Amino acid sequence: MNWFERLADKLTASMETPGNYGWFHIMMLSIIIFLTVLLCAVGRNWTDKTFRRFILWSWIINVIGELYVVLAFSFENVDGAAVWDYAWYMFPFQFCSSPAYTLPFIAFLKDGKARDAFISFTGSFSFFAGLVVMLYPNDVFISTIGINIQTMIHHGMQLMLGVFVLVHQRRKLTHAYFFRGIFVFSALVLIAMVLNLGVYEIFQNLGMDDTFNMFFISPHFDCTLPVLNLFWDLVPYPVFLAIYIIGFSLVAALMYYVLRAFILKSTGIAPHRLKVNQERPLSGKARALADE
């Protein structure tokens, strides 16, 4: 093996596969909860500039993690020899990979309805995806140390950012604000479907039998997501897809309104005082004075 393959071998060292609510899971969950509370306490009144910088650094960490996953699922040490074979089912366009594509819009878009849509998506759809894995990580734990650490950081950041962006944007949390996030979700589902259909045809022409099932909505492969997998064999595919989209939207709405209620109650903001798309974001001092 060359130097890079030796490095890849070290980065994919093994451990005993963690279990749900074992020491590793509880430790990582506790760290994420602590960091979420700390971040909301420290950053809730950040200026928009500081908020954007934090989102940008979060995105960089996310992308580095995604690149590591690509490496880890491409490399295997077979009797001291490096074997490279990419696992296409791990292609980084699953639901939980969405921050890699949505966070830059929060960091760089001009404040307005489009940016609000990505923030809303992060605080509802993305938050739900992270929460589920952090509470029930059984399917994401494997025997690779780095992957277990990465998946806890990755999904933990989804949970943490989901709460934080809504806390920071707490004066915008109207009903319309949530529905903007549905447009982002719909666009991601559409992209996933185009990828699923296009890549499947390419693989067929190349004689490849790899699984490629982004967002688990490909008509060519079974859906293995809990609950939704029950509908896969029971209903026609168009009905399954409708259940998938409506179901995720309803759960995301539940996440948004639970967080919204908690945030407004804890900060003393009356719902009728909410306003979407303020012409000028409140400064840190103005936010602090408004919350007193």
Side-chain angles (χ1 to χ4, degrees), residues 188-210:
L188 291 173
V189 169
L190 178 60
I191 294 171
M193 181 60 74
V194 171
L195 286 172
N196 286 332
L197 297 178
V199 173
Y200 178 79
E201 291 301 321
I202 293 173
F203 282 2
Q204 289 294 297
N205 292 333
L206 295 175
M208 298 170 58
D209 60 356
D210 298 66

Side-chain angles (χ1 to χ4, degrees), residues 16 27 30 44 54 60 72 74 79 113 115 127 151 162 164 168 193 220 238-239 244 283:
E16 182 179 350
M27 178 186 71
S30 300
R44 69 191 185 99
F54 179 80
I60 292 172
S74 300
D79 298 327
K113 293 181 180 180
R115 185 176 182 232
F127 168 77
T151 195
F164 175 61
H168 189 268
M193 181 60 74
H220 302 294
V239 176
Y244 180 100
S283 66

Side-chain angles (χ1 to χ4, degrees), residues 106-128:
I106 300 176
F108 295 114
L109 274 182
K110 181 180 178 180
D111 196 35
K113 293 181 180 180
R115 185 176 182 232
D116 289 344
F118 288 96
I119 295 174
S120 172
F121 174 85
T122 301
S124 53
F125 289 91
S126 184
F127 168 77
F128 169 65

Side-chain angles (χ1 to χ4, degrees), residues 82-94:
V83 176
W84 295 92
D85 183 21
Y86 184 58
W88 283 99
Y89 66 89
M90 291 299 300
F91 186 81
F93 200 83
Q94 294 292 6

Side-chain angles (χ1 to χ4, degrees), residues 128 223-234 240 243 247 251:
F128 169 65
C223 175
T224 58
L225 294 177
V227 180
L228 286 169
N229 61 347
L230 301 176
F231 295 97
W232 180 258
D233 293 323
L234 294 179
F240 163 80
I243 292 173
V251 175

Side-chain angles (χ1 to χ4, degrees), residues 57-270:
W57 279 108
S58 299
W59 174 72
I60 292 172
I61 293 172
N62 184 279
V63 170
I64 292 173
E66 292 286 4
L67 292 174
Y68 167 73
V69 172
V70 171
L71 171 68
F73 280 90
S74 300
F75 172 83
E76 185 178 3
N77 184 342
V78 180
D79 298 327
V83 176
W84 295 92
D85 183 21
Y86 184 58
W88 283 99
Y89 66 89
M90 291 299 300
F91 186 81
F93 200 83
Q94 294 292 6
F95 199 96
C96 287
S97 302
S98 59
Y101 307 97
T102 58
L103 292 182
F105 289 97
I106 300 176
F108 295 114
L109 274 182
K110 181 180 178 180
D111 196 35
K113 293 181 180 180
R115 185 176 182 232
D116 289 344
F118 288 96
I119 295 174
S120 172
F121 174 85
T122 301
S124 53
F125 289 91
S126 184
F127 168 77
F128 169 65
L131 177 65
V132 169
V133 174
M134 291 304 296
L135 294 179
Y136 187 74
N138 189 62
D139 291 339
V140 299
F141 281 149
I142 61 175
S143 60
T144 303
I145 299 173
I147 289 295
N148 293 328
I149 295 174
Q150 185 276 337
T151 195
M152 288 288 97
I153 293 175
H154 178 91
H155 295 96
M157 285 184 64
Q158 282 187 270
L159 186 156
M160 181 171 63
L161 290 175
V163 176
F164 175 61
V165 296
L166 295 189
V167 168
H168 189 268
Q169 303 292 307
R170 56 194 175 276
R171 294 189 175 278
K172 292 185 175 184
L173 304 184
T174 63
H175 301 302
Y177 199 80
F178 165 72
F179 285 99
R180 301 195 200 286
I182 294 180
F183 290 101
V184 176
F185 171 65
S186 300
L188 291 173
V189 169
L190 178 60
I191 294 171
M193 181 60 74
V194 171
L195 286 172
N196 286 332
L197 297 178
V199 173
Y200 178 79
E201 291 301 321
I202 293 173
F203 282 2
Q204 289 294 297
N205 292 333
L206 295 175
M208 298 170 58
D209 60 356
D210 298 66
T211 298
F212 190 90
N213 192 6
M214 302 302 99
F215 279 46
F216 296 95
I217 57 173
S218 172
H220 302 294
F221 302 100
D222 293 348
C223 175
T224 58
L225 294 177
V227 180
L228 286 169
N229 61 347
L230 301 176
F231 295 97
W232 180 258
D233 293 323
L234 294 179
V235 299
Y237 176 75
V239 176
F240 163 80
L241 187 59
I243 292 173
Y244 180 100
I245 294 172
I246 295 172
F248 263 110
S249 298
L250 290 175
V251 175
L254 176 63
M255 297 295 103
Y256 174 83
Y257 281 105
V258 168
L259 289 176
R260 176 182 183 267
F262 178 78
I263 292 169
L264 297 186
K265 181 69 175 178
S266 61
T267 56
I269 300 174

